[in-house]
Amino acid sequence: DITALKILLESKEPELNEMTDEQLEQEKIRLLKILREIEKQFDYAEESKSKVFFMRYDVRIPDGMYLDDNKTFRDFQANFMKNLSRQGLKPQYIAVREQSKEKHQHYHVALFLDGQKTQSIHNHIQTAERLWNSTLGLPARENGYGLIDDES
């Protein structure tokens, strides 16, 4: 936990320099909670699947749109998980919402799937893009809007 926490804190160094000691301690607690949940999900994935396929992606909110809560994201994610479950992929995920001063509102998602039944991220990203656009009420576009990003 400590090594992973140190790496996370180093990656957030500019933001951390502006925090008070109390805010810094709260951030450490928040990050440790996230790391423990990732570890819990990973352990369960290893126990419940003979082969684990891991992917991560970001879910972006379009420019000019702001979401006050996580309901829209939860609705999308539930729909996406239902889609993956119907394929027998046994999905598990952990998501973290991020909104810093210089970045646009978005979510980071880690997804664990049955690696015996899938080994490519491509179709899953396309499905996620289609479902997210639909959840946001955006009209269909051949190449989507680029709101699902697997390269961050």
Side-chain angles (χ1 to χ4, degrees), residues 57 76 80 123-133 148:
Y57 54 97
F76 151 73
F80 187 35
N123 290 338
H124 305 308
I125 292 297
Q126 284 186 326
T127 299
E129 178 83 25
R130 180 179 50 79
L131 293 173
W132 182 233
N133 295 342
I148 303 292

Side-chain angles (χ1 to χ4, degrees), residues 65-120:
M65 183 182 287
Y66 182 81
L67 302 178
D68 290 326
D69 59 29
N70 297 318
K71 183 185 180 324
T72 304
F73 174 78
R74 279 194 317 266
D75 291 347
F76 151 73
Q77 200 66 21
N79 197 7
F80 187 35
M81 294 305 104
K82 187 185 303 182
N83 181 286
L84 294 169
S85 292
R86 286 181 182 148
Q87 297 174 52
L89 297 175
K90 303 178 188 172
Q92 301 166 237
Y93 76 94
I94 181 168
V96 178
R97 180 176 172 168
E98 183 175 333
Q99 184 178 3
S100 63
K101 294 174 186 170
E102 61 278 340
K103 291 183 180 178
H104 196 44
Q105 188 179 21
H106 63 282
Y107 296 83
H108 299 284
V109 185
L111 178 64
F112 301 94
L113 301 171
D114 183 343
Q116 295 291 349
K117 297 184 178 180
T118 189
Q119 296 177 8
S120 173

Side-chain angles (χ1 to χ4, degrees), residues 5-77:
L5 178 61
K6 184 177 178 182
I7 292 168
L8 278 172
L9 290 173
E10 287 173 359
S11 72
K12 298 173 70 66
E13 190 170 349
E15 295 171 44
L16 298 176
N17 289 336
E18 298 175 14
M19 291 183 178
T20 65
D21 287 344
E22 184 178 330
Q23 289 171 323
L24 187 57
E25 193 58 35
Q26 288 174 346
E27 183 66 3
K28 285 180 184 178
I29 291 168
R30 186 184 75 81
L31 292 173
L32 273 173
K33 183 179 174 186
I34 293 167
L35 287 171
R36 286 189 184 110
E37 184 61 30
I38 291 169
E39 183 178 41
K40 183 174 122 184
Q41 291 296 326
F42 184 77
D43 289 346
Y44 182 75
E46 280 190 317
E47 292 169 12
S48 65
K49 300 164 181 60
S50 62
K51 185 176 180 182
V52 178
F53 177 78
F54 171 83
M55 60 184 265
R56 69 158 305 281
Y57 54 97
D58 294 338
V59 179
R60 302 190 186 291
I61 311 301
D63 288 338
M65 183 182 287
Y66 182 81
L67 302 178
D68 290 326
D69 59 29
N70 297 318
K71 183 185 180 324
T72 304
F73 174 78
R74 279 194 317 266
D75 291 347
F76 151 73
Q77 200 66 21

